[in-house]
């Protein structure tokens, strides 16, 4: 006589991204930051810029061929070249190391300076338009972090996809 059954399953690891004040919104890395500014390799600074938000399917790739994920952004490639590593801060204390991976219509027409990628439509709506400061790092500094950032991107493509 069977008096009961219980099914047990192992834990399934998940990643929960929480964006709060002074919390990075991507896993990409770069130079140390002091007083909100990278301590080395800043090639250009764009202050008081308008950032918009967008989303796409989980397998989407940008105009550069790079897969889109948190920390990839759309830019005007005549201002910021594809593959550039940037440090982006918003007025509410959020920050991100990001890669220029896509081209956006709003950037080409001058309606926005940068388009931040979000993995869900709801997140993109919540972050629709925000003021940002963009620090573009020089190629030498970006190269120091390329291997580590490529590994982060590769790990991100295997989680939950």
């Amino acid at each position: 006589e069977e008096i009961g059954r219980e099914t047990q399953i192992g834990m399934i690891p998940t990643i929960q991204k929480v964006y709060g004040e002074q919390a990075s919104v991507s896993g990409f890395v770069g130079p140390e930051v002091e007083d909100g500014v990278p301590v080395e390799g800043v090639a250009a600074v764009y202050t008081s810029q308008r950032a918009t938000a967008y989303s796409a399917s989980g397998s989407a790739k940008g105009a550069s061929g790079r897969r889109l994920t948190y920390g990839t952004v759309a830019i005007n490639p005549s201002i910021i070249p594809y593959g550039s590593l940037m440090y982006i801060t918003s007025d509410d204390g959020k920050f991100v190391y990001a890669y220029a991976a896509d081209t956006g219509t709003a950037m080409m027409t001058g309606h926005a300076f940068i388009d931040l990628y979000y993995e869900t439509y709801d997140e993109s709506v919540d972050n629709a338009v925000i003021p940002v400061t963009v620090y573009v790092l020089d190629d030498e500094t970006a190269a120091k972090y390329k291997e580590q950032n490529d590994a982060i991107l590769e790990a991100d493509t295997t989680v939950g996809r």
Side-chain angles (χ1 to χ4, degrees), residues 55-134:
S55 63
S57 71
S59 61
K61 291 187 177 183
S64 68
R66 183 185 282 264
R67 193 183 74 73
L68 299 176
T69 186
Y70 292 111
T72 56
V73 297
I75 44 77
N76 178 335
S78 66
I79 298 172
I80 300 173
Y82 292 131
S84 294
L85 179 61
M86 296 163 282
Y87 182 76
I88 303 168
T89 62
S90 59
D91 289 351
D92 64 359
K94 294 178 185 175
F95 64 91
V96 64
Y97 271 106
Y99 277 100
D102 202 4
T103 301
T105 304
M107 278 51 63
M108 300 306 289
T109 61
H111 289 93
F113 184 73
I114 200 160
D115 210 356
L116 308 171
Y117 176 82
Y118 290 88
E119 290 184 350
T120 69
Y121 175 77
D122 289 341
E123 285 178 303
S124 68
V125 170
D126 290 343
N127 296 282
V129 179
I130 58 173
V132 295
T133 298
V134 178

Side-chain angles (χ1 to χ4, degrees), residues 9-78:
I9 60 171
M11 288 179 36
I12 301 170
T14 59
I15 295 176
Q16 181 179 12
K17 296 180 186 260
V18 178
Y19 308 143
E21 187 173 335
Q22 297 301 312
S24 176
V25 293
S26 91
F28 293 130
V29 297
E32 291 289 323
V33 174
E34 289 182 9
D35 297 323
V37 179
V39 297
E40 66 174 315
V42 175
V45 180
Y46 301 93
T47 58
S48 302
Q49 297 299 317
R50 177 184 167 113
T52 52
Y54 76 114
S55 63
S57 71
S59 61
K61 291 187 177 183
S64 68
R66 183 185 282 264
R67 193 183 74 73
L68 299 176
T69 186
Y70 292 111
T72 56
V73 297
I75 44 77
N76 178 335
S78 66

